[in-house]
Every structure is written in C-alpha cells, then in structure tokens.
C-alpha cells in the first residue's frame, strides 16, 4: 500500500525521530514556502459599505493582499498605513488613452498613485483585465499601455517596486486538456508574444483568472463536483502525455497555462492566479452554487496554496492566489451566480467563514472556527469494501498530507495489521486536521463518526486537533538504551529547524 503499509526498514527510534523532524520541516515549509492568498475587492454594486468600513473588515480576516480593479482614490486612501499590499488596475476603458500618450499615464500616476504611496503599499498594477473576453477588441492596446506605465514608474524610480502585468481568462487558451496539451489561441499571438517578453524583461508574473466552477457547471458529465472542489473522494485524472496525476481541476488549469507558456519557450514565467472562487448562490440549474460548496472550495484552495505549494508539473512552485470575492455584487450582469461570489453580504455579515492561514480548522457545517473535536473521532465503516478503504487510505496518506508513520511496521498503531485499522487511523488524522466535520469524515461513504475514542494500548488517535503521542509524558527510550549520538544529532537538527521556523514567522 502506497505511503502507509510499506516496510520502513528503520528502527522504531529512527522512525520516531524522522517523523518528528518531518513534521517540523512541514511546518517550516508551510510558514516559509507557501503561496500568498489575497482577496478581490470588487465594487460593482450599489449597496456596499464605504471603504472606511471595508478595510477593518478585511483586517479582521488577517488578509494581507487585496486586489481592486481601478485606482479609486477613496479606496486607496483607506488602505494607508494598514500593511495590506494592494493590487490596483487600469480598466479596459482606459487602455486607449494610456496606449496613445505617455502624458496621460504620467498624469494618472501623479494624481492617482504618487500622493498615496508608500503609505498605501501598492505592489502591482494590472493593465487591462481579461481583454480577450472584452466585447470591444482592445488587446492590441495592452502592451503599449503597459510600456507607458513602466516608463512613468521609471521616471519616479518605482519601476522595480511596483510590478506591471495584465490579467487573462482561461479562454486565452485554445486547448487546456490534457494539461500537457495546453496551448494559447494563435489568434492572440500578435499581442501575446510581446506581452510575454515584457513580463520576462521586468520579472513580472503571468496573471490568470481560474474558475473550476465553470468547468464543472459547463460539463458536469466530464468534470465531477469532487474534482472541482479538491475533494478526497475525487477520481484521479492522469495526463496521458506525461503520466502526471491530477487530483483537482485547479492544478490541471494552472498546468495547462504552464505548458502553454513552455510551448512558446517562456517556461521561467511565474503564474499568479488573480481570481478564483466559487459562487454561493445560483439559478435553479446551477445546483453546484451553494454556500457549502463555496466554503469547501475556498477552504481547500487556501490550504492547497499555503501548504502544498505546487502542481504536478511544477511541484514546490509557489502560486499566489486571490479569492473572488469579498462581497456579493448586485449590479453584475449575467446569470444569478454572477452576483453571488462573495464571502460577505453587503451588510458585512458573513455568508461563510474561511481560515485564511490554511493551517487551522474551520467547521464547514457551521462556518465557525472550532477549538476541539467535541469528543468525536472518524473511523472506517464496517460496511466499506476493501477497495474503497484502500483508496481512502492511499489518498489520506498521500494527497491528504496525513502523517501515516504510526501505522508503519513496529510503530504503535501498526497492530492489528488490518486494512480497516490502518484506514481508521488515517481517516481520523485527516478528520481532526480538517475541521472535524461530516465532510472531512466522508471518504466516499467509507468513514463514519463516533463518540467512542478508538485509541488502544500505546496507539493514541488524534483528538481536538492535537498530534498523536504515546501515553508517556516524555520521549520513550526503547529497549532500555540511553540517548545516542543519533539522538544528539536529531536534537541539533530540531533546534535548527525551530530557529528557522521562528525566523519565518517573525
């Protein structure tokens, strides 16, 4: 069994050391290498609170990165001295004057940016938004406008402090499946190639808005809801050209962009996801647009970005993501879901809650932050088939990021050496780490919740979000032996990792 029941080939003490150091390393990675998560603050509504009320709301969520779609002075001023990094935008309607005359851009910079910088930490300027989707073809204006903005920033010495890019929809691709076949639409080559050259020249990211929701909504027979929501019950999708295994649609969409860039020899460009989210309400035919699905998607997306840092094609590659969006926006045209992507109603009440750190637990059923498992555990169902248990166990110990070292040979939870026992341990670990709710204990119907503690002997099941330990209050010395040089070596390593984690947090 992959990742869980293989013979370790290591002594129990060594396995315990490795497990603990691995945990510290994962903490280090989570704090230092995870991608950044921000929020999109759209204002296409007539019932939203003023920026002076919105900024405290954002700060309450501990969100440090915000995207707005223009350079509204009231909004920019409201973010002054907040330490929030702001991404501002040049709307498509302004691309023509920006592309035509440098003086227009110089004046805009003088009036809209410089009076408020650096008190307001403006770090990105998006020049145009999804221009290939615009009813008026303005794509030819993007690069000239970007160059004029760069020139204006250079005149005042800010061209290396504020990054310029432009956002795109997935529609810029002519092909996105399988991911390795990702290719840009050749009809956009006239502006795409010079834009990519500009991005490389200025070390700017390729910005793209990705929505697995639409992939599911438009083709539910080909894209399952589980696959779109990062669910552990999702069936893996294998890219036949590369053999890469995809467990969710988001990664597949990111990698389709990566392969499209690579096909044009722009493989060094970093990808930034400037919009992604899930609607909380939709029309009758939009059955997937619910608050629970929206919370599940965004919770899993944040955790994926912060903790996983990568895709199958680029493991370890940081991906920054902006969640869409802060509020429901009642003036947006289109079907019902278009107006209902928010985390908050206009009265600032929460539609559902998110843990923005990606490390804590959020109860998906109630939307509230939880501090304990309320005396519940998750175990394997007695009615589950061995195939389903094996699939759930493989997922928990793999993509689910559960530490399954305790069910390795010679470890506390290895005996009894049965699939049901090992699956119960892994299911419960995932359950406790991911909200201790029905969703986190589903595993395709193979997991069930119980109020009876399944711990036995020295095998202690995780509870209330705490890591499993043996019943001893101190680290056991096996076979009566004394600490060895191996212990000392790991002690030094642990101290070093703790120092590094502290440095990252600070």
């Amino acid at each position: 069994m992959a990742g869980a029941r293989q013979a370790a080939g290591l002594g129990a003490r060594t396995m315990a050391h490795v497990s603990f150091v691995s945990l510290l390393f994962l903490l280090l990675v989570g704090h230092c290498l995870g991608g950044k998560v921000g929020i999109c603050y759209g204002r296409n509504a007539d019932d939203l609170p003023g920026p002076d009320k919105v900024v405290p709301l954002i700060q309450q969520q501990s969100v440090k990165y915000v995207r707005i779609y223009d350079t509204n002075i009231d909004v920019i001023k409201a973010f002054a001295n907040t330490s929030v990094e702001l991404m501002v935008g040049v709307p498509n309607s302004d691309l023509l004057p920006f592309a035509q005359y440098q003086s227009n851009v110089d004046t805009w910079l003088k009036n809209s940016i410089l009076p408020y910088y650096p008190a307001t930490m403006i770090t990105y300027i998006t020049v145009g938004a999804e221009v290939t989707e615009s009813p008026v073809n303005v794509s030819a204006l993007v690069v000239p406008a970007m160059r004029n903005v760069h020139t204006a920033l250079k005149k005042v010495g800010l061209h290396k402090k504020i990054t310029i890019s432009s956002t795109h929809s997935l529609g810029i691709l002519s092909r996105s499946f399988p991911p390795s076949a990702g290719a840009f639409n050749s009809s956009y080559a006239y502006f795409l190639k010079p834009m990519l050259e500009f991005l490389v020249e200025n070390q700017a990211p390729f910005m793209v808005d990705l929505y697995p929701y639409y992939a599911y909504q438009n083709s539910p027979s080909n894209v399952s809801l589980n696959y779109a929501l990062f669910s552990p019950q999702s069936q893996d999708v294998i890219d036949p050209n590369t053999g890469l295994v995809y467990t969710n649609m988001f990664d597949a969409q990111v990698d389709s962009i990566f392969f499209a860039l690579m096909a044009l020899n722009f493989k060094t460009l970093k990808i930034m996801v400037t919009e992604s989210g899930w609607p909380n309400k939709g029309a009758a035919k939009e059955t997937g647009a619910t608050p629970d699905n929206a919370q599940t998607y965004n919770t899993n997306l944040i955790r994926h970005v912060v903790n996983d840092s990568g895709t199958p094609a680029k493991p370890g590659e940081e991906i920054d993501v902006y969640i869409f969006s802060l509020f429901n926006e009642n003036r947006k045209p289109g079907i019902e879901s278009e107006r209902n992507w928010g985390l908050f109603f206009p009265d600032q009440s929460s539609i559902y809650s998110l843990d923005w750190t990606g490390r804590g637990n959020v109860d998906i059923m109630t939307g509230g932050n939880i501090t304990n498992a309320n005396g519940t555990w998750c175990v394997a169902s007695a009615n589950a088939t061995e195939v389903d248990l094996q699939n759930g166990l493989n997922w928990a110990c793999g993509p689910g990021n559960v530490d399954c070292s305790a069910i390795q040979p010679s470890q506390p939870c290895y005996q009894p050496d049965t699939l049901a026992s090992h699956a119960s341990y892994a299911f419960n670990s995932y359950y406790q780490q991911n909200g201790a709710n029905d969703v986190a204990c589903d595993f395709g119907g193979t997991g069930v919740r119980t109020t009876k503690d399944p711990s036995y002997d020295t095998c202690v099941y995780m509870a209330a979000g705490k890591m499993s330990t043996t019943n001893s209050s101190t680290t056991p010395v096996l076979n009566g032996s004394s600490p060895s040089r191996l212990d000392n070596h790991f002690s030094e390593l642990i101290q070093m990792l703790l120092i590094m984690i502290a440095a990252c947090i600070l």
Side-chain angles (χ1 to χ4, degrees):
M1 182 196 69
R5 303 175 70 189
Q6 298 172 347
L10 293 172
R13 177 188 297 172
T14 304
M15 280 296 299
H17 281 312
V18 170
S19 176
F20 186 58
V21 172
S22 297
L23 172 63
L24 288 176
F25 180 74
L26 288 175
L27 287 172
L28 175 64
V29 170
H31 281 298
C32 301
L33 298 181
K36 299 173 182 176
V37 181
I39 186 75
C40 296
Y41 171 22
R43 306 190 316 284
N44 194 357
D46 57 19
D47 55 359
L48 298 184
D52 58 324
K53 293 184 174 64
V54 172
V55 171
L57 178 66
I58 290 174
Q59 290 179 303
Q60 289 171 10
Q61 309 303 308
S62 298
V63 175
K64 299 296 184 184
Y65 309 93
V66 174
R67 178 189 176 191
I68 62 173
Y69 295 82
D70 53 21
T71 50
N72 180 280
I73 291 176
D74 291 334
V75 175
I76 291 177
K77 287 169 64 177
F79 281 98
N81 304 310
T82 61
S83 297
V84 172
E85 295 187 18
L86 200 61
M87 177 185 295
V88 303
V90 176
N92 293 346
S93 57
D94 289 339
L95 289 178
L96 181 59
F98 271 54
Q100 281 184 323
Y101 299 107
Q102 180 67 53
S103 59
N104 290 336
V105 182
D106 293 345
T107 301
W108 165 81
L109 186 68
K110 180 181 178 181
N111 294 334
S112 300
I113 302 292
L114 295 183
Y116 316 105
Y117 181 93
T120 298
M121 296 175 58
I122 298 169
T123 53
Y124 287 95
I125 297 174
T126 58
V127 180
E130 296 189 356
V131 291
T132 59
E133 305 293 328
S134 174
V136 179
N137 188 358
V138 292
S139 53
L141 303 173
V142 173
V143 176
M146 290 172 74
R147 294 197 180 282
N148 284 346
V149 172
H150 180 265
T151 298
L153 290 174
K154 193 171 184 179
K155 288 179 180 179
V156 294
L158 294 180
H159 59 296
K160 293 186 177 180
K161 295 183 178 180
I162 300 177
T163 302
I164 304 165
S165 190
S166 183
T167 67
H168 308 279
S169 74
L170 197 62
I172 199 168
L173 300 184
S174 60
R175 187 170 59 247
S176 61
F177 183 83
S180 61
F184 288 108
N185 190 321
S186 59
S187 64
Y188 302 138
Y190 66 95
F191 90 91
L192 185 60
K193 190 171 185 295
M195 188 197 69
L196 295 176
E197 290 172 345
F198 175 91
L199 297 180
V200 170
E201 179 183 346
N202 294 283
Q203 299 181 324
F206 182 88
M207 295 178 168
V208 62
D209 301 337
L210 299 180
Y211 289 101
Y213 169 76
Y214 288 123
Y216 162 72
Q217 178 65 27
N218 295 336
S219 187
S221 59
N222 294 320
V223 178
S224 72
L225 182 61
N226 285 336
Y227 188 63
L229 291 176
F230 297 85
S231 170
Q233 288 79 48
S234 171
Q235 294 294 314
D236 292 346
V237 175
I238 300 176
D239 189 315
N241 300 326
T242 62
L244 294 173
V245 178
Y246 290 86
T247 61
N248 62 83
M249 173 58 76
F250 177 83
D251 279 353
Q253 291 183 339
V254 172
D255 277 356
S256 67
I257 294 289
F258 166 68
F259 280 106
L261 289 169
M262 192 164 62
L264 296 181
N265 202 29
F266 287 96
K267 58 185 178 181
T268 62
L269 271 178
K270 180 179 178 180
I271 297 170
M272 175 184 283
V273 180
T274 40
E275 287 182 12
S276 192
W278 197 278
N280 59 68
K281 181 181 178 183
K285 64 179 181 179
E286 297 181 283
T287 56
T290 67
D292 281 349
N293 285 342
Q295 185 184 38
T296 298
Y297 176 82
N298 285 330
T299 296
N300 288 336
L301 174 61
I302 292 171
R303 184 176 293 120
H304 185 65
V305 169
V306 172
N307 297 337
D308 292 348
S309 296
T311 65
K314 302 200 79 174
E317 179 87 358
E318 295 176 26
I319 302 174
D320 297 342
V321 173
Y322 286 75
I323 301 293
F324 186 87
S325 73
L326 188 62
F327 292 107
N328 286 344
E329 298 175 73
N330 66 358
R331 293 182 60 187
K332 296 191 71 172
I335 58 177
E336 181 71 13
S337 63
E338 283 294 321
R339 292 173 288 282
N340 293 283
W341 290 79
L343 306 181
F344 295 92
F345 293 110
D347 66 1
Q348 302 181 63
S349 63
S350 176
I351 300 173
Y352 56 88
S353 298
L354 287 180
D355 168 41
W356 289 91
T357 69
R359 302 183 189 96
N361 295 329
V362 172
D363 187 338
I364 293 177
M365 305 305 292
T366 67
N369 291 326
I370 65 173
T371 57
N372 60 66
N374 296 320
T376 62
W377 291 262
C378 177
V379 296
S381 170
N383 299 321
T385 66
E386 288 207 352
V387 171
D388 288 340
L389 283 179
Q390 187 71 68
N391 289 338
L393 179 56
N394 289 345
W395 188 91
C397 296
N401 290 327
V402 168
D403 179 2
C404 291
S405 59
I407 55 177
Q408 296 285 352
S410 79
Q411 295 304 298
C413 302
Y414 179 69
Q415 296 293 345
D417 182 15
T418 65
L419 187 57
S421 178
H422 290 179
S424 290
Y425 180 87
F427 287 5
N428 181 68
S429 296
Y430 181 84
Y431 169 76
Q432 303 293 355
Q433 292 170 350
N434 292 276
N437 53 67
D438 287 336
V439 174
C441 186
D442 186 64
F443 290 93
T446 61
V448 294
R449 295 211 285 184
T450 178
T451 57
K452 182 180 178 181
D453 187 350
S455 302
Y456 59 91
D457 298 332
T458 58
C459 178
V460 180
Y461 274 54
M462 185 186 297
K466 298 177 181 177
M467 295 300 296
S468 304
T469 62
T470 62
N471 293 329
S472 171
S473 60
T474 59
T475 303
V477 178
L478 302 179
N479 302 323
S481 61
S482 60
S484 65
R485 277 181 285 184
L486 179 63
D487 296 307
N488 294 333
H489 172 73
F490 276 106
S491 294
E492 293 173 359
L493 180 57
I494 289 168
Q495 290 179 20
M496 181 175 67
L497 285 171
L498 288 173
I499 291 171
M500 293 172 68
I501 291 171
C504 291
I505 296 172
L506 296 175

